[in-house]
């Protein structure tokens, strides 16, 4: 993995999050699917926003969060995603650049506004997400900067992109460019409902294009349609080079064909908001992976970064991640 300008280039839906605390019973009243990511239209976004408590607005987007974490760790990261030339688009661009990620995708000059995700955080720390994709629907193969992909050790994408055929085409194009240049390709499965919607296509993708797979327990069980985590583990090892499988408070398991590491979750005094746990796990892991650390250390770095992001509201890191991981290196 030499001669590269970037460690990781992330491709994802460029989204500004609006987070607010809510009561457990609000979820049923507002007909929200707890812990899931549900796609909503502009009218539903307006209606839900009206019902939300005081909101905290900050840049998000799954792969965007992962890239922010990699930059915070000292890695070189770039991002490809679609915003509109509006105020939220400027906020997104400012924030991802300010943390040190290169982001030069052109903004859409017409069509829908920049995407937003309305996130309801219940007292148990769980997050329920409702995404209006807006300008993200414009992302397609033409947005894939081939030189940028070739210049990164790993191309990383969020599974949420699979909900749109043009975005899926964009990723497959990027995966081919990356592999032709001798680079690696990684995906996070994002959401078990998203896996349900696209199971066959995700399986093909993993077989044909993926070196490093991120998934949580529900997602990997859904992908291979098995009842237990152990069965999913046995299956995934046959299909990709490395899989990093996260299990919330039970930690994570990292497997390759001949290695398996059980990684404990990093203790957290209080889980405030689980938004971004998987995203920041991927940050720590991919940072370690592109620095040439062992899979076990990569898993530990993932756990440390995930623990930081769930100890406060929002999916971008707050504390000094470099300082936090120093103990594991
Ligand atoms: O979900 C991704 C990762 O976040 C897991 O592998 C853990 O490292 C971390 N994580 C998620 N939920 C929890 C939790 O409730 N407690 C703790 N300690 N870690 C968690």
């Amino acid at each position: 993995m030499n001669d590269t300008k970037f460690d990781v280039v992330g491709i994802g839906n460029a989204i500004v999050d609006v987070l607010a605390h809510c009561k457990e019973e609000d979820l049923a009243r507002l007909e929200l699917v707890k812990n899931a990511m549900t796609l909503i239209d502009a009218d539903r976004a307006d209606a839900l926003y009206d019902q939300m408590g005081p909101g905290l607005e900050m840049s998000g987007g799954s792969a965007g969060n992962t890239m922010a974490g990699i930059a915070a760790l000292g890695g070189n990261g770039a991002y490809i995603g679609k915003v509109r030339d509006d105020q939220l688009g400027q906020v997104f661009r400012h924030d991802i650049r300010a943390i040190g990620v290169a982001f030069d995708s052109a903004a859409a000059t017409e069509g829908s506004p920049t995407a937003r995700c309305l996130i309801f955080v219940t007292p148990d720390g769980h997050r329920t997400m409702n995404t209006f994709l807006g300008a993200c629907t414009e992302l397609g193969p033409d947005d894939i900067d081939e030189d940028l992909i070739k210049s990164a050790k790993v191309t990383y994408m969020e599974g949420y992109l699979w909900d749109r055929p043009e975005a899926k085409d964009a990723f497959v194009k990027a995966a081919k460019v990356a592999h032709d240049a001798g680079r690696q390709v990684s995906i996070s499965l994002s959401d078990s409902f998203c896996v349900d919607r696209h199971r066959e296509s995700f399986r093909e993708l993993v077989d044909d294009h993926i070196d490093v797979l991120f998934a949580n327990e529900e997602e990997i069980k859904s992908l291979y349609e098995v009842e237990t985590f152990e069965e999913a583990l046995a299956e995934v090892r046959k299909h990709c080079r490395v899989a990093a499988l996260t299990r919330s408070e039970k930690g994570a398991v990292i497997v390759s064909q001949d290695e398996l590491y059980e990684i404990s979750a990093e203790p957290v005094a209080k889980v405030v908001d689980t938004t971004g746990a998987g995203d920041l796990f991927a940050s720590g892991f991919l940072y370690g992976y592109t620095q040439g650390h062992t899979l076990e250390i990569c898993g530990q770095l993932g756990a440390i970064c995930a623990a930081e992001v769930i100890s406060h509201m929002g999916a971008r890191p707050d504390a000094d991640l470099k300082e936090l991981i120093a103990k594991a290196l």
Side-chain angles (χ1 to χ4, degrees), residues 124 126 216 245-253 263-269 271 274 276-281 299 302-307 309-310:
D124 58 5
H126 286 271
N216 70 21
L245 306 177
T246 56
R247 311 185 77 187
S248 301
E249 71 283 354
K250 286 188 268 176
V253 177
I263 310 294
S264 305
E266 191 73 9
V268 177
V271 177
T274 56
D279 304 339
L280 269 288
F281 187 93
I304 292 169
C305 295
V309 85
I310 64 176

Side-chain angles (χ1 to χ4, degrees), residues 185-257:
V185 178
S186 176
I187 189 173
S188 160
L189 290 184
S190 295
D191 180 80
S192 64
F193 294 96
C194 186
V195 176
D196 283 342
R197 291 193 284 273
H198 309 289
R199 184 172 294 106
E200 285 315 309
S201 158
F202 270 133
R203 281 196 197 167
E204 263 173 44
L205 175 83
V206 171
D207 283 344
D208 297 345
H209 296 294
I210 298 302
D211 300 293
V212 181
L213 175 68
F214 292 91
N216 70 21
E217 188 165 350
E218 293 313 310
E219 292 152 10
I220 203 69
K221 286 197 302 200
S222 171
L223 183 68
Y224 293 117
E225 295 181 283
V226 293
E227 294 299 316
T228 68
F229 181 70
E230 287 65 31
E231 289 169 286
L233 198 58
E235 196 56 41
V236 74
R237 298 179 87 160
K238 300 179 203 156
H239 296 277
C240 55
R241 189 193 292 232
V242 178
L245 306 177
T246 56
R247 311 185 77 187
S248 301
E249 71 283 354
K250 286 188 268 176
V253 177
I254 315 298
V255 280
S256 66
Q257 265 156 27

